[in-house]
Amino acid sequence: MRKKERAKLIIERLKEEYPDSDCTLDYDQAWKLLVSVRLAAQCTDARVNVVVEDLYKEFPDVNALAEATPEQIEAIVKPCGLGKSKARDISACMKILRDEYDGNVPDDFDKLMKLPGVGRKSANLIMGDVFGKPAIVTDTHCIRLVNRMGLVDGIKEPKKVEMALWKIIPPEEGNDFCHRLVDHGRAVCTARTKPYCDRCCLSDICKKVGV
């Protein structure tokens, strides 16, 4: 089976299995997702969702966060880990949004990539979830599962995985596909225990390679 054919089948089955998959970070404005995705590095989404409630009570908008010192931000986001660097990036990022984009998040991938603390994964998440544009988010679940399924062959570097997936995943499917991989990776194709292949909707077409 060619990779495009396997990808099409996998997309269809994951749609049936996880019809309501979505971003697990809570947000109601684009800048809040930008903050949350930075805090989510090496931290669970569940913890981030709790921490940002306190952050937004203290600093309710872009301007307020831009005026806050990194130390003030760090005092609140510290439970997410790497507090100093995350606070510094959030502070610098909000200042740029305030000064260069009238408080708005740019809907351009290259401009997002220039924001402090924003990498390809974060930029893709925002492009897909906020702006509804084609996106492929290569987080740890995505990388692990697409290797195991046989959609990529032993590629672990996020950008290389992303580029490989662009060739076989229809652009309009990429963002939702990656959210479904997260759900599948948590529920069935787990990392910390042996995957539950016996109850996997992909068991007959998965190559079961990689990690």
Side-chain angles (χ1 to χ4, degrees), residues 35-200:
V35 169
S36 288
V37 75
R38 180 65 187 98
L39 292 176
Q42 299 182 39
C43 181
T44 65
D45 290 358
R47 173 165 290 190
V48 171
N49 290 338
V50 171
V51 170
V52 293
E53 288 185 13
D54 292 333
L55 184 66
Y56 302 148
K57 284 177 185 175
E58 189 72 23
F59 308 109
D61 53 37
V62 171
N63 286 336
L65 263 180
E67 291 294 328
T69 66
E71 291 75 20
Q72 288 175 307
I73 298 172
E74 181 187 357
I76 299 174
V77 305
K78 195 173 181 179
C80 293
L82 305 174
K84 191 175 293 294
S85 62
K86 290 179 179 180
R88 184 176 62 243
D89 286 340
I90 291 169
S91 174
C93 188
M94 294 301 112
K95 284 180 169 62
I96 292 172
L97 294 188
R98 178 195 63 188
D99 298 340
E100 298 183 22
Y101 297 107
D102 296 322
N104 299 309
V105 176
D107 62 349
D108 177 274
F109 187 85
D110 292 331
K111 289 179 179 177
L112 285 170
M113 286 283 289
K114 291 179 180 178
L115 295 174
V118 176
R120 297 190 67 85
K121 183 177 77 171
S122 302
N124 270 302
L125 182 66
I126 291 165
M127 291 296 287
D129 275 19
V130 174
F131 300 114
K133 296 188 177 183
I136 290 178
V137 180
T138 50
D139 64 4
T140 54
H141 287 290
C142 173
I143 295 169
R144 181 169 56 82
L145 267 63
V146 297
N147 271 281
R148 186 171 173 81
M149 293 169 179
L151 296 183
V152 302
D153 301 315
I155 306 174
K156 303 295 176 64
E157 201 276 309
K159 184 177 179 180
K160 290 181 179 179
V161 172
E162 180 191 335
M163 294 303 109
L165 290 178
W166 278 120
K167 296 176 182 178
I168 60 173
I169 303 294
E172 68 277 9
E173 299 284 0
N175 190 58
D176 288 340
F177 172 65
C178 291
H179 284 318
R180 292 187 175 105
L181 287 179
V182 172
D183 286 343
H184 193 60
R186 288 172 174 166
V188 178
C189 198
T190 53
R192 294 184 179 180
T193 63
K194 186 177 179 181
Y196 302 100
C197 298
D198 57 319
R199 54 183 173 89
C200 178

